[in-house]
Amino acid sequence: MLQQMDQVDIQLLRSDGSLTDEGRPIWDSISIEMKLHFHRWMVLARTFDRRSVILQRQGRIGTYAPLEGQEAAQVGSALALDREDWIFPTYREHGVAMIAGMPLDRILLYWMGRVEGNIAPEGVRVLPPYVPIATQLPQAMGAAWAAKLKGESSVTVAYFGDGATSEGDFHEALNFAGVFRLPCVFFCQNNHYAISVPFSRQSATPTVAEKSRAYNLPGVRVDGNDVLAVYHVMQEAVRRARRGEGATLIEAVTYRKGSHTTADDATRYREEEEVTDWVERRDPLTRLESLLIQEGLLTAGQVEECHDRCREEVDSAWKKAAKAEAPPPSHLFAHVYATLPAELKRQRAETEGRSYG
Amino acid sequence: MAELTLVQAIQDGLRTALQQDSRVVVLGEDVGKNGGVFRATEGLWKEFGDERVIDTPLAEAGIVGAAIGMAVNGLRPVAEIQFMGFIYPAFEQIITHAARLRTRTQGQRPASIVIRAPYGGGIRAPELHSDSTESLLVHTPGLKVVAPSTPYDAKGLLLAAIRDPDPVIYLEPMKLYRSVRQEVPAEDYEIPLGQARQVRKGDDLTVLTWGAMVPMVEKVAATWEQRGVYWDVLDLRSIYPLDEEAIICSVRKTGRVLIVHEAPKTGGVGAELTALIQEHAFLWLEAPITRVTGYDVPVPMFALEDDFRPNQGRIHQAAEKLIAF
Ligand SMILES: Cc1ncc(C[n+]2csc(CCOP(=O)(O)OP(=O)(O)O)c2C)c(N)n1
């Protein structure tokens, strides 16, 4: 089992923090600024995540889907995108959303059950989290299609998990994208489980990437805990799409360290040995931090400082979210139709304690 | 007899069905090793093995499609859809196949399946998990739709559903999964489909309701009883087919009707009940039939959930108007 997980097409940064031969020139070609971005965003995503789990335990936010363990996959892929690119995320892509420009307090509002958390700031092309599995894939494909028809250079990325590959929507989206050569990237974070069901029970093929052949698309299986490799592979896929060469399927092999959501208990279906291996040996953040320290780009003290700053940032986002004024019940009707039908006006009036019509 | 919660009673019903009939299989997402996200299938995989309690890939159309095929080929599948909000990918299978296989094969190969789905709000579930779109299913000829509100009914209705020759959608009010305990017999018993349960008896007002609204209505009814006003409360249990006799009898007795459901108002089952009563008890009515329902808006994220769902205050006010009419 562990052996099979290790087999990826591309890894540039090994688990021990050393670069592979192929990785060295790629690492050297990247700006220092970007390398520090890798780090800062991964730390921020993890800090946000741990805080959110605590907030859920305290009953301050609702059920939450943690991302810890998947920081490299999210950060590496999102940093390869431009502001004009479209993102169709799942409920777990907080790391992606923050990089795309969703303020942290909005992301928290979403988990507080507030619809305001779905509203992207001006110019941020991120859709709200998709909760029904795989339903975002055909829509992302459609957005990419529109870009192509309109002659825009934007690329669309659909994020999804390994379980999503079982849904018919996965097939339909990739099929269209293949047939019409659409500028789309299908980015699968294979974290090995769809709640409790292992990938071997989702799919008779051992990998997600190889499914791309059925649609005549390139498929790449990348070490999803290696931020450099993910960034590199994503850049290539995005460039390909922008050049008009069509879609790519990327399978980032990763692992969620904790449970599926705060309402789930992963000890019921995962072996301790497997979890320990991923948590202790393959952590995406310690891997990057040890490289940055070895390369002299950060000192241990600066790493600590970065963690502290991120904690402060998350703190102030929470303070802001917690202070956000609650919407009145009449807000239920705010955006149901462009113009409210009479029956809905009556119902809205009822929530305001008046009568209408 | 053991005191069970509603979800434990469902589990007990599944276990009984699996023991009694080797054709019964349980399938769905996370129903095996994990015991279901609400633990409705807890322990069954261990007890009955991988071929009778089956973890499927994440694919609702696949799950329901597979269940239909299994039924055609002689099994009695019980499919779990993890939340009713995710039943829509399977609609194609349910509406174009499960519901009309009997007609299309002229009775030769009916889809004798049960589809279980947790539904409704009130538990602060994430977005899109809390739908109550039972009317979409009730509107589909060929399906039966039931929703228990007590542990005792949950087991008996489930066993009846599994043995029913037609496809039955078995809706489980999430809000009630663990909120009450009740003595549930260990043995096999059935609650026949199509029979309402008389929750309270009274001459002053008929209240028709089901699922998670039942205990809410009971609470309000109790406060009215202190004022000397007695409600005739029916838990429909079976939303299709309806217990027309019980409904009409009650309306003829009281002359006043309140319908309470969690689903949105327009085109909801409440509208159907209203029409039914107009057809059969028009001359007995003494006040307009009144509905307290969810609003006609998408089920909101949970910050506004309590404002969307009917609550005791709204039920109380509607009753006040009806009685004073
Ligand atoms: C259509 C649909 N069916 C079922 C669910 C319930 N559910 C939520 S997440 C999940 C597992 C998803 O696994 P995967 O696609 O691998 O993504 P991951 O959560 O691991 O990132 C399930 C079954 C859902 N959200 N949508």
Side-chain angles (χ1 to χ4, degrees), chain A residues 27-338:
Chain A
W27 177 252
D28 290 341
S29 72
I30 288 176
S31 72
I32 293 179
E33 198 193 351
M34 183 55 82
K35 291 169 186 169
L36 295 178
H37 270 322
F38 286 164
H39 182 245
R40 186 192 106 78
W41 284 112
M42 282 172 68
V43 173
L44 188 62
R46 177 165 298 187
T47 310
F48 175 89
D49 196 62
R50 290 189 173 171
R51 183 65 190 271
S52 299
V53 172
I54 293 168
L55 289 170
Q56 191 281 333
R57 298 282 180 244
Q58 295 171 335
R60 291 164 196 253
I61 68 173
T63 303
Y64 170 79
L67 64 77
E68 183 161 348
Q70 302 184 206
E71 295 91 342
Q74 297 198 12
V75 169
S77 59
L79 284 174
L81 299 175
D82 282 350
R83 193 83 173 169
E84 64 165 347
D85 297 330
W86 287 95
I87 294 170
F88 285 68
T90 76
Y91 44 78
R92 207 186 293 286
E93 266 74 73
H94 333 305
V96 173
M98 26 181 107
I99 293 173
M102 283 299 281
L104 298 190
D105 59 294
R106 289 252 181 118
I107 304 176
L108 283 166
L109 279 175
Y110 177 85
W111 296 101
M112 291 161 78
R114 301 272 298 262
V115 74
E116 302 93 303
N118 279 338
I119 304 168
E122 190 66 29
V124 172
R125 291 181 147 183
V126 184
L127 278 288
Y130 277 68
V131 172
I133 302 299
T135 50
Q136 74 276 29
L137 273 69
Q139 297 179 25
M141 174 272 285
W145 203 346
K148 180 173 173 162
L149 292 171
K150 294 195 297 181
E152 285 177 7
S153 59
S154 70
V155 170
T156 305
V157 186
Y159 283 90
F160 53 99
D162 42 300
T165 64
S166 300
E167 294 274 7
D169 282 353
F170 170 83
H171 162 71
E172 295 178 29
L174 271 74
N175 195 41
F176 273 60
V179 169
F180 298 103
R181 279 171 86 91
L182 303 178
C184 204
V185 181
F186 296 101
F187 191 89
C188 176
Q189 288 168 76
N190 180 350
N191 64 10
H192 294 95
Y193 292 87
I195 307 188
S196 68
V197 179
F199 186 63
S200 57
R201 184 50 79 99
Q202 295 295 342
S203 169
T205 59
T207 73
V208 171
E210 70 199 84
K211 294 178 190 291
S212 69
R213 290 185 51 198
Y215 309 102
N216 200 20
L217 304 176
V220 196
R221 184 165 154 102
V222 59
D223 181 343
N225 284 11
D226 169 355
V227 67
L228 181 63
V230 173
Y231 177 72
H232 178 67
V233 163
M234 188 71 171
Q235 257 191 338
E236 300 254 294
V238 170
R239 284 194 193 123
R240 231 189 124 249
R242 270 200 236 291
R243 285 196 305 262
E245 291 166 28
T248 304
L249 171 62
I250 296 174
E251 174 185 10
V253 182
T254 181
Y255 202 77
R256 69 170 142 80
K257 286 192 181 174
S259 290
H260 169 70
T261 63
T262 48
D264 170 52
D265 171 13
T267 61
R268 294 171 72 101
Y269 52 83
R270 298 196 309 197
E271 298 297 331
E272 208 178 304
E273 186 198 348
E274 176 191 294
V275 180
T276 313
D277 182 62
W278 280 93
V279 171
E280 288 177 6
R281 209 163 67 72
R282 300 160 192 254
D283 185 281
L285 181 56
T286 38
R287 191 188 298 199
L288 177 69
E289 285 180 344
S290 81
L291 176 69
L292 289 169
I293 290 170
Q294 271 169 46
E295 296 273 305
L297 292 174
L298 285 178
T299 63
Q302 285 169 323
V303 166
E304 237 358 88
E305 258 171 55
C306 177
H307 283 260
D308 291 344
R309 272 199 310 275
C310 288
R311 265 193 295 276
E312 283 161 24
E313 200 173 327
V314 173
D315 261 357
S316 69
W318 166 245
K319 283 198 187 110
K320 190 166 172 203
K323 275 209 298 268
E325 210 179 310
S330 61
H331 189 78
L332 281 170
F333 302 88
H335 298 285
V336 182
Y337 292 99

Side-chain angles (χ1 to χ4, degrees), chain A residues 110 112-115 131-132 163 166-167 194-196 201-202 268-269 329 332-333 336 343-344 347 350-351, chain B residues 30 33-34 39 42 50 55 57-60 86 127-129 265 295-297 300-303 307 314:
Chain A
Y110 177 85
M112 291 161 78
R114 301 272 298 262
V115 74
V131 172
S166 300
E167 294 274 7
I195 307 188
S196 68
R201 184 50 79 99
Q202 295 295 342
R268 294 171 72 101
Y269 52 83
L332 281 170
F333 302 88
V336 182
E343 172 60 26
L344 267 85
Q347 295 182 13
E350 184 185 311
T351 67
Chain B
D30 300 288
K33 192 170 189 180
N34 205 31
R39 308 287 175 247
E42 173 103 58
D50 216 15
D55 268 333
L58 205 174
E60 288 72 18
F86 307 129
E127 214 189 342
L128 293 156
H129 283 66
K265 183 176 180 183
Y295 294 117
D296 291 342
V297 304
M301 293 170 72
F302 66 74
D307 298 304
R314 284 173 63 198

